[in-house]
Amino acid sequence: MKTVRLLVAFLVLAACASPVPAMAAAKTTLVLGVDISDTRTFDPARQFEYSPPITMRAAYETLVTMTPGDYVRVKPLLAKSWKLVDGGKAWQFQLREGVKFASGNPLTAEDVKFSFERLQNVKDQPADLTENLAAVEVVDPLTVKLVMVDKNQPLLNVLASITFAVVDSKTVQAQGGTSAKDAEKADKATAWLDAHSAGTGPYTLTSWVRNSEVVLERNKSYWRAPAAFERVVLRHSGDSAAQLLALRRSDIDAALNLTPDQLDGLAKEPSLRLVSGTSLDYMYMTLTGSAELNKALANRAARQAVAHAIDYDGIIKGLMGGHAIRPASFIPVGLGGSTEAFTREVGYRQDLAKAKKLLADAGVASGFTFKVSYGKASIAGTSYDLVAQKIQSDLARVGITAELDPLDQATLRTQYKEGKTQSVLTFWNPDAPDAYLWAQPAVGRVSKRVHWAVPKEVADLVTRAGGEADAAKQTALYREFQKILVDQANYVILIQPVYRVATSKAITGYALTAAGWQVDLYDVKPAK
Amino acid sequence: MRLRYVATRVVASVLMALAATLVVFLIAHTVPADPILAQLGDKASANAELVARFRARWALDRPLWEQYAIFVGRLAQGDLGESIASRRPVLVDIGQYAPATIELATLAALLTLLVGVPLGVLAAVKRDGWLDHGARLACLVGVSAPTFWLAFIVLALFYGGLQIAPSPGRLDAGAVPPPHVTGLFLLDSLLARDWPTFRSALAHMLLPAAVLAASTLGLITRTTRAAMLDVLGQDYVRVARAKGLTEGGVVRGHAVPNALLPVVTLGGLAYAELLAGTVLTETIFSWPGLGRYTYQSAIALDFPAIMGVTLLVAVIYLAMNFVVDVSYSWLDPRVTR
């Protein structure tokens, strides 16, 4: 039979093709298993998703940076020193000498000017981060001055964000880039920047295939000691179980998207290592202040009752396996004087008697009903669904009925941003680490969504805190602000996750950072 | 007459494809969400000027009928618009993801046919024998096992356990794809005479193709078997036997050709289904195909991409129906008469 012969031929072909056991990655190549499906671009003037900064931080550098664990004091990178000038209205940076781009072009103040002005004029999403940048002035080839719009608002710490990557102006211009006022229409460099890079970083981007992989190669003209690997591959894997298999087979050196269960199961494997880092991200619940949306919640005492009925320790221990902390309110632990001790001192804790008393104060002693909306997604492997169910059962103990309302992410985000929700469970992850970028929205755009009419003195308090140069005074101001938020009870912060990554012991130096780029690949090296 | 028949069909197909896009367009717009607010970060979505600019860029500030008119107008010029999520022309996106899926679906369809048809024929000929029962069990497992489960079990066994299968993905990590001609790695590597890449691409494709094939295999095998049993009971088969033909001669010469018609119909539709992409298999095998793209577009409410994919899928189904009809006339000359 013809078909049978064909079948045999096919099977023979298949047999020759299949037994190619993938060679264990040679130590010259570092392979990360990571979900990169959110990547849409690597152009610093346009990129704002979650996973791309891993790649961008390897290819680009910023004037200042942050080291893991310290998100308050910036460290030098392309700038070796900086100072406030012009009566505190501008920051002046002294650039490092001898730094070259991957192209061989030397780094100058003109490149800084071009990069930041292009960022502003392309007018894509990240341009928002430049709102306090009035002008970029070249003082001399290695000195650049950044003039602020308002000297009481932050700028320095925001510059550590990869959005402020310094690009090679000559190369980007040669590829159709421009920093002129009409850059929104005229700039054509994005397509090139999606497949190449034009930075001073230890690696250069050499290819990106969407939903598949990103390849970086060592930058031979790097200004520090050359990078440890010839190549870095970010291998797309959207399924955590498949990622785990690949890690066990040594096809990848690090798995970035494992679930808590999988990670716990790996703890004892001799060839693997778990690394962890506290993030600045958190899952929070909002409670509306609008009587139109929910009559009971419009009463502060009722909102406080909700906040005091939730079993926070149970969520962190039971659902997150203890791999999380929580701040008192909208400013995450690690910034603006927010610490775990401060949370214990002023934050919410489960107190059912107090919750019942608050319900009585609110005139709803027998409880009330409200709707909690959330997306079908999960954070550090724990689904919103699970957290919502836990909260529902906690609240039932004091007679409050939480109706669960799972939505697709697009609908949830729309409804929430338009201020139409009674309560949401959602997520906050930072644009850049500066407490002001949390405090300001808490009295700004987010307060509108929860229908909190912020008193002027509270808004002023945030402004004063943002502009305070003295660290101790700033801490005191932010703490005072957090106490007000706790009392106001529109925001209930539930989980600030401690992220974990499993790596092979063939590599070392993998350290998680919460500053926005997850890991600095330059620090990762082959184990001796 | 024949020409007129073809012309009518083509016109009808175009209208049907358009109707499909209209239905999907209307359904997508009933979702109470705004793709721009969903896409933008927290800070940017509070920036009214930026939101307005983005809405205008995708004409989302226009009335619904106008948005659809823009879509059709562009379509007439062969343009599917720009994706909101990827910020690339939808055609470019589809051009990238489609070859990965076409390659995988074609291999899966081949596997299904090469295994399913002979198995169905043998099961019918040896009715109620061990082969028939075995085939029935295999079909049942293939059809009823959830795809994500089957995909993961197969991966865990051949990749994780036995270690004879390569990693998920189209090629090994960091491997350079063959020079781009069609985007089909098997074909491109053949054209470039790059045997190692050809072997690697084929090896990477086998497991996901087998998983995809498993779901359609049952359908094809059972249909073939049923059709064969039907045909084997016909008078002309009895006549052939009476003429003294060997059993093999009867099956090959008389039964199989007549039993193939329903199999071709189903096979065509099953292939179209495979081409439309399968999210779960693609996710577990890190396969950068249309299924993932469709899913991502849907959850992001990426209207242009959703419309593009809908149109593509409609065209695939219409084309497969056409191919099935043509093959009918080839398999059964009576159809053209």
Side-chain angles (χ1 to χ4, degrees), chain A residues 162-301:
Chain A
I162 199 62
T163 291
F164 290 89
V166 178
V167 304
D168 180 349
S169 59
K170 290 194 184 74
T171 303
V172 172
Q173 277 169 315
Q175 299 300 335
T178 170
S179 63
K181 284 279 175 231
D182 63 347
E184 186 187 358
K185 292 254 165 4
D187 184 273
K188 303 289 176 209
T190 301
W192 189 85
L193 289 169
D194 283 348
H196 309 80
S197 58
T200 56
Y203 294 97
T204 54
L205 175 66
T206 55
S207 96
W208 167 39
V209 181
R210 288 167 199 239
N211 281 355
S212 189
E213 65 183 23
V214 177
V215 182
L216 292 147
E217 271 167 32
R218 185 190 280 153
N219 172 5
K220 294 194 181 68
S221 38
Y222 191 48
W223 56 276
R224 287 188 279 185
F229 295 96
E230 278 171 27
R231 287 211 303 174
V232 177
V233 180
L234 279 79
R235 183 86 163 151
H236 172 66
S237 173
D239 182 76
S240 64
Q243 229 174 68
L244 182 59
L245 289 175
L247 181 68
R248 286 220 166 101
R249 270 200 65 179
S250 308
D251 277 347
I252 57 175
D253 301 304
L256 275 68
N257 309 98
L258 299 185
T259 64
D261 289 353
Q262 290 167 338
L263 287 159
D264 292 342
L266 290 179
K268 290 197 184 84
E269 288 203 20
S271 62
L272 301 177
R273 180 185 291 131
L274 294 185
V275 280
S276 63
T278 305
S279 66
L280 293 172
D281 306 347
Y282 54 67
M283 185 193 289
Y284 67 108
M285 180 162 92
T286 64
L287 297 170
T288 189
S290 156
E292 275 171 43
L293 289 169
N294 189 300
K295 214 162 159 241
L297 282 181
N299 188 319
R300 185 171 61 178

Side-chain angles (χ1 to χ4, degrees), chain A residues 40 125 131 235 251 417 445, chain B residues 37 39 41-42 159 171:
Chain A
R40 79 177 75 197
Q125 223 193 120
E131 64 189 357
R235 183 86 163 151
D251 277 347
K417 286 171 180 174
R445 61 184 190 269
Chain B
L37 284 187
Q39 278 288 316
D42 200 274
Y159 172 64
L171 293 172

Side-chain angles (χ1 to χ4, degrees), chain B:
Chain B
M1 282 313 279
R2 211 180 152 78
L3 193 68
R4 191 166 155 197
Y5 169 73
V6 171
T8 321
R9 277 207 60 150
V10 169
V11 172
S13 298
V14 170
L15 289 178
M16 270 160 74
L18 271 181
T21 62
L22 183 61
V23 169
V24 169
F25 178 81
L26 292 175
I27 292 175
H29 278 274
T30 60
V31 178
D34 177 337
I36 300 300
L37 284 187
Q39 278 288 316
L40 291 181
D42 200 274
K43 191 169 163 64
S45 53
N47 181 337
E49 188 265 338
L50 187 103
V51 171
R53 206 147 35 78
F54 273 62
R55 285 221 176 94
R57 181 163 163 190
W58 281 282
L60 295 168
D61 50 351
R62 313 276 180 83
L64 266 194
W65 67 268
E66 203 181 325
Q67 290 185 38
Y68 189 72
I70 292 175
F71 167 76
V72 175
R74 280 218 188 99
L75 186 62
Q77 301 164 33
D79 178 8
L80 289 173
E82 187 193 18
S83 154
I84 302 175
S86 76
R87 308 268 183 89
R88 294 200 290 186
V90 172
L91 265 180
V92 174
D93 276 348
I94 289 178
Q96 184 203 319
Y97 294 123
T101 294
I102 290 173
E103 203 166 42
L104 188 62
T106 307
L107 185 64
L110 276 177
L111 279 175
T112 310
L113 282 184
L114 293 180
V115 177
V117 172
L119 198 60
V121 169
L122 289 176
V125 173
K126 314 268 182 204
R127 187 181 181 182
D128 291 331
W130 61 268
L131 190 92
D132 190 19
H133 293 306
R136 185 176 296 139
L137 183 71
C139 293
L140 195 68
V141 171
V143 169
S144 51
T147 305
F148 70 90
W149 178 84
L150 190 64
F152 182 69
I153 292 297
V154 164
L155 188 68
L157 181 65
F158 293 98
Y159 172 64
L162 298 174
Q163 314 215 339
I164 51 174
S167 63
R170 290 181 84 184
L171 293 172
D172 286 337
V176 181
H180 185 94
V181 183
T182 60
L184 306 168
F185 282 4
L186 286 183
L187 195 58
D188 287 356
S189 56
L190 273 183
L191 290 175
R193 294 174 196 284
D194 180 354
W195 303 114
T197 304
F198 178 80
R199 279 173 49 132
S200 176
L202 183 60
H204 278 82
M205 215 179 294
L206 278 178
L207 282 189
V211 169
L212 284 181
S215 56
T216 42
L217 184 65
L219 192 70
I220 296 295
T221 308
R222 299 303 292 170
T223 311
T224 310
R225 178 181 176 277
M228 276 297 288
L229 285 178
D230 186 37
V231 168
L232 284 174
Q234 299 283 335
D235 287 347
Y236 60 82
V237 171
R238 247 183 288 156
V239 170
R241 282 207 185 108
K243 281 197 299 187
L245 284 180
T246 59
E247 189 60 22
V250 173
V251 169
R252 267 196 308 261
H254 294 270
V256 171
N258 286 300
L260 276 180
L261 279 183
V263 178
V264 166
T265 312
L266 265 178
L269 291 178
Y271 183 50
E273 203 175 302
L274 290 174
L275 279 177
T278 42
V279 182
L280 296 169
T281 311
E282 287 183 4
T283 302
I284 289 176
F285 286 98
S286 297
W287 203 261
L290 276 179
R292 284 292 298 168
Y293 181 63
T294 309
Y295 172 74
Q296 284 173 357
S297 309
I299 56 167
L301 213 62
D302 185 348
F303 292 128
I306 292 173
M307 301 299 286
V309 170
T310 305
L311 190 69
L312 179 73
V313 172
V315 167
I316 288 173
Y317 271 91
L318 291 166
M320 283 318 297
N321 267 322
F322 188 72
V323 169
V324 165
D325 286 358
V326 169
S327 64
Y328 260 38
S329 60
W330 174 64
L331 282 169
D332 184 353
R334 282 174 306 178
V335 173
T336 37
R337 259 182 243 142

Side-chain angles (χ1 to χ4, degrees), chain A residues 378-397:
Chain A
S378 52
I379 296 309
T382 299
S383 70
Y384 286 108
D385 213 26
L386 219 53
V387 177
Q389 286 169 21
K390 165 73 176 151
I391 290 174
Q392 187 182 43
S393 73
D394 289 345
L395 296 182
R397 295 175 66 186

